[in-house]
Amino acid sequence: MSGPSDSGAQRADETDVVPVPAELRAGRRRLGRGAETGDAQVIALATADSVPAPRPGMPLLRQRRRELRGHIVDGKLDAVRRQHSLGKLTARERLALLLDEDSFLELEPYRRHQATGPGLAANRPHTDGVVTGSGTIDGRRVFVYAQDFTLFGGSLGEAHAAKIQKVLDLAVANGAPVIALNDSGGARIQEGVLALNGYGGIFRRQVEASGVIPQISVILGPCAGGAAYSPALADFTFMVRDTARMYLTGPDVVEAVTGRRVSHEELGGADVHGSHSGVATVVHDDEHECLADVRHLVSLLPSNYLEQPPVTAPTGAVEDYRPKLAEIVPSEPNQPYDMRDVFAEIADDEEFFELHAGWARNVLCALARVDGRVVGLVGNQPVVFAGVLDGPASQKAARFVRFCDAFGIPLVSLVDVPGFLPGVEQERGGIIRQGAQLLHAYCEATVPRIQVIVRKAYGGAYIVMDSRSIGCDLSLAWPTNEIAVMGAEGAVNVLHRRDLAAAADPAALRARLVAEYTEEYLNPQYAAERGLVDDIIDPAETRAAIARGLAMLREKRKPGPARKHGNLPI
C-alpha cells in the first residue's frame, strides 16, 4: 500500500526540475559571453545535450517490475487456453503441484534468446520457454526445471539450454535431487547447431551427476529427437498416458523410411515405454497423480550419495511376527503366488514403491521401508513366466541394484527362481550378456545385502540372484528352499536317461529317482550344512530377521578396488 510519502516521491519524479551542475552553469556563461548573433540555437542545443534526462524513481521502477513479472507469470492467455484444451497444465501449475507451497525460487525469469533466425528476432519472450529454479518437497531442497509448451512449443535453444545447465550445476554443487518436467517439441530449428550444442551440454552434466544426486524426469507432453536422451539418462522417468510421448524419430519420418503409418501414441506413448521399451519407470493416468507420486519417490531417496535416505520412526520390525507369509507361499515349488504379497508383509505399513511395474514383470523391484529405513527389494515373480530370468528382467534388476548401491540403499533379494529362460530367441537376443549385467551389478555392490531363498533357486539364476558366492552378507532360507543345479525332474532326466529308456516301468523308476534326488540334494539343510546359507528361518520371522540383519550391517564399510571403473557388459 502506498502512503503519502510514496505519492509525493512519484510527483517529484515526474515534475521536479533537475538542478544544473555549477560546471554546466559556468559553461553557459562562457558560451553566452562569446556568442555572436545567431549562436543562440547552438547554445541551446549544447545545453540540452549536457543535461541528463529525468530518471524514474524507485516507486515507478517497482511498478514496472511488478507489471513485467506479472506478464511473465501469467503468460499468453490464448496459449494457456490451448495448453489446457490439450488436457495439460502449464509449467508453473505443474511446479505448484510438485513443490511445497511458496517454496519456489525462480532463476533467470528475464532470460531471452539472442538469436536472429527466421521469426525469432521479433519474438523474444522472457524465460525462453523454460521455468527454472529451486524449491522444497516435504521441506527438503530440490532443483527443478519445467519446459513451457506455450512458448515456442517448449523447444530448446541456446538460452533455454543454458538455464537448464545452470540448474544441473547448482543441483550437483548443493547435493540436491534434480527434477525435470519435460514438455518440448525438441530442438529449436532456427537456432541450428547452437540448439544441438545446448543438448550436448545438458547430457554431459547429467552423466557427471549420475550416482552423485538422484535425477528424475517427468514426461508431460512431447519429448522428441535428442530431447529423449535426457530422460534415458535419468534415474527415474515418469510418463502420463495420452499426453506424454517420447521418440527419436516421429511418425512422419517412420512412414517415410519404412512405409508404415503409426500414431504418436503407438510409436512412443506412455504404455509403449512402460510395458515394452522399459524407458518409463512409472506410468500414470493424469498429471496430478503423477506429480504426487514424484513427491512420494523423493521422500524415499537421499539427497545425494553422501547422505542417507530420510529415516522415519522405528516400527518394531525386529520383533514382528508375520504368520501370513507361510500362507501366501505354497510349499509345492510349481504353484504360483504373487511376490508382491510377500513384499507387503516385509515392508512397513505394507507399503512399497514399485518401479517398472509394467515391464519385465517376471522380476519385481521396489523401494520400501523396514523398521523406518529405506531398502531396495528385488524379487522373482512366480505368477509371470514362473519367475524365470530373461534378458529384460536381468536388465531391469541390474539397473535397480546399481542405483541402490550408488546411493547407499541396502538390498534385500527374495529368491524363487527356476533358472534362466531357455530358447533360441533368448540366446540370440543376448541373454548371456544381459544376465551378466545383473551378475556384475550385484558383485560390484558394496551396500548391505541380504538374500532370502523363499523356495527354489536353480542353476546360474541362483548365483546371479545375490548368492553367498558373489558376496551377499547374509543368506537366509525358508524350510521350503531348494538350491540345486536344476529341479529334481530335470536332473533325473539328464542323469538317468539310459536307465529310464531301458526300464520296464519308466514312470515308477522316475518317481523313485526323483524322490531320492530330492532327499539327497534338495533338502533344506543341504546348503546350510555347507555354509552357503546362514540360517533357516520360519517364514513368519522373515520381516524380523531382515530387520535384525539390516541393523547388524548398518555400519558396513567395503571400499571398492583401486581402478578407474569396471566395464559393465552393456
Side-chain angles (χ1 to χ4, degrees):
M1 180 178 294
S2 299
S5 59
D6 292 332
S7 59
Q10 181 67 36
R11 288 194 297 274
D13 294 333
E14 297 172 351
T15 62
D16 284 4
V17 176
V18 178
V20 180
E23 296 84 350
L24 186 55
R25 290 199 299 272
R28 284 180 179 175
R29 287 194 295 272
R30 287 195 297 273
L31 285 170
R33 284 195 298 270
E36 300 290 338
T37 304
D39 288 346
Q41 185 176 2
V42 176
I43 296 170
L45 288 174
T47 303
D49 289 342
S50 303
V51 178
R55 299 186 63 183
M58 185 56 68
L60 181 58
L61 291 173
R62 286 174 176 153
Q63 179 184 344
R64 291 176 179 174
R65 175 186 175 276
R66 284 193 299 268
E67 290 174 352
L68 177 57
R69 194 60 183 264
H71 175 73
I72 293 171
V73 171
D74 292 341
K76 297 180 179 179
L77 295 182
D78 57 341
V80 171
R81 292 192 191 100
R82 284 197 300 271
Q83 181 82 345
H84 288 163
S85 71
L86 296 172
K88 301 194 297 182
L89 300 175
T90 66
R92 296 182 186 278
E93 289 170 340
R94 290 163 175 165
L95 290 172
L97 287 174
L98 175 67
L99 302 173
D100 295 341
E101 188 174 0
D102 296 328
S103 70
F104 181 54
L105 172 64
E106 186 170 355
L107 301 173
E108 299 189 2
Y110 305 109
R111 188 74 177 257
R112 305 165 79 181
H113 72 75
Q114 306 301 314
T116 57
L120 291 182
N123 186 14
R124 299 176 59 235
H126 295 91
T127 74
D128 201 47
V130 62
V131 182
T132 60
S134 178
T136 61
I137 293 179
D138 295 329
R140 298 172 62 217
R141 176 66 51 193
V142 297
F143 285 82
V144 294
Y145 67 86
Q147 292 178 313
D148 186 353
F149 195 77
T150 69
L151 298 177
F152 297 127
S155 61
L156 182 140
E158 184 180 26
H160 184 121
K163 292 178 67 175
I164 294 175
Q165 292 167 10
K166 179 174 181 176
V167 164
L168 290 167
D169 289 339
L170 287 172
V172 172
N174 287 274
V178 64
I179 303 171
L181 306 185
N182 297 272
D183 189 1
S184 169
R188 194 172 300 164
I189 298 173
Q190 301 97 313
E191 295 199 32
V193 71
L194 292 177
L196 300 179
N197 183 65
Y199 273 129
I202 293 170
F203 302 155
R204 174 171 59 83
R205 285 168 172 81
Q206 284 189 264
V207 172
E208 291 172 350
S210 180
V212 179
I213 56 172
Q215 300 181 60
I216 301 172
S217 280
V218 188
I219 315 301
L220 301 166
C223 185
Y229 284 117
S230 185
L233 290 171
D235 298 305
F236 305 96
T237 299
F238 290 70
M239 293 188 74
V240 175
R241 289 186 177 90
D242 300 326
T243 57
R245 55 183 184 266
M246 180 167 45
Y247 39 65
L248 292 178
T249 53
D252 293 341
V253 177
V254 171
E255 183 180 4
V257 173
T258 68
R260 179 183 176 186
R261 297 196 65 176
V262 293
S263 68
H264 292 283
E265 194 67 23
E266 291 172 325
L267 184 61
D271 287 322
V272 169
H273 290 302
S275 302
H276 299 287
S277 73
V279 175
T281 314
V282 184
V283 174
H284 284 292
D285 291 326
D286 63 73
E287 294 191 22
H288 291 77
E289 180 184 307
C290 177
L291 295 173
D293 227 17
V294 173
R295 287 179 60 92
H296 181 201
L297 174 61
V298 171
S299 74
L300 296 169
L301 302 179
S303 293
N304 56 69
Y305 79 105
L306 294 174
E307 296 184 9
Q308 293 295 313
V311 178
T312 59
T315 58
V318 293
E319 298 176 352
D320 201 347
Y321 193 74
R322 297 292 180 100
K324 187 178 177 180
L325 281 169
E327 302 170 9
I328 292 172
V329 182
S331 299
E332 298 79 6
N334 297 324
Q335 290 295 312
Y337 64 93
D338 195 336
M339 184 62 83
R340 290 188 183 89
D341 295 334
V342 178
F343 277 21
E345 290 297 309
I346 290 171
D348 292 352
D349 301 320
E350 300 186 359
E351 289 186 356
F352 57 90
F353 192 97
E354 186 175 357
L355 308 171
H356 294 291
W359 177 59
R361 296 182 301 113
N362 40 323
V363 70
L364 301 178
C365 298
L367 293 168
R369 281 192 168 88
V370 175
D371 212 25
R373 294 180 178 270
V374 176
V375 299
L377 300 177
V378 181
N380 307 108
Q381 175 57 295
V383 297
V384 181
F385 302 143
V388 298
L389 285 176
D390 59 2
S394 299
Q395 292 179 317
K396 170 180 170 178
R399 173 77 165 165
F400 180 68
V401 167
R402 286 175 64 84
F403 174 82
C404 290
D405 185 52
F407 289 97
I409 299 174
L411 287 160
V412 177
S413 303
L414 298 152
V415 183
D416 190 351
V417 60
F420 280 95
L421 181 63
V424 174
E425 290 185 3
Q426 286 292 311
E427 297 295 344
R428 289 181 177 178
I431 193 171
I432 295 174
R433 171 176 46 81
Q434 294 157 342
Q437 292 173 18
L438 180 55
L439 180 62
H440 190 286
Y442 268 124
C443 289
E444 190 179 47
T446 60
V447 293
R449 292 155 51 187
I450 297 177
Q451 178 198 50
V452 181
I453 301 169
V454 176
R455 284 195 312 188
K456 55 191 176 295
Y458 295 157
Y462 155 69
I463 301 172
V464 168
M465 285 297 296
D466 203 18
S467 65
R468 168 60 58 78
S469 60
I470 66 170
C472 87
D473 300 297
L474 180 64
S475 179
L476 307 172
W478 287 12
T480 48
N481 82 83
E482 295 182 355
I483 306 174
V485 174
M486 63 180 66
E489 291 279 352
V492 166
N493 288 337
V494 172
L495 295 174
H496 303 283
R497 181 182 296 113
R498 293 180 181 177
D499 295 337
L500 291 170
D505 188 352
L509 176 60
R510 179 180 287 104
R512 178 173 64 81
L513 292 174
V514 165
E516 291 175 356
Y517 184 91
T518 300
E519 178 65 25
E520 178 68 22
Y521 297 106
L522 299 183
N523 71 77
Q525 285 76 35
Y526 187 87
E529 290 172 357
R530 289 155 179 80
L532 301 179
V533 168
D534 289 290
D535 196 8
I536 298 173
I537 61 173
D538 185 326
E541 298 175 353
T542 304
R543 173 170 153 85
I546 290 172
R548 290 193 294 267
L550 291 171
M552 176 185 73
L553 298 168
R554 192 163 296 153
E555 302 303 321
K556 176 185 175 183
R557 298 290 183 272
K558 184 181 178 183
R563 61 182 177 186
K564 188 173 183 180
H565 58 72
N567 188 15
L568 182 68
I570 52 179

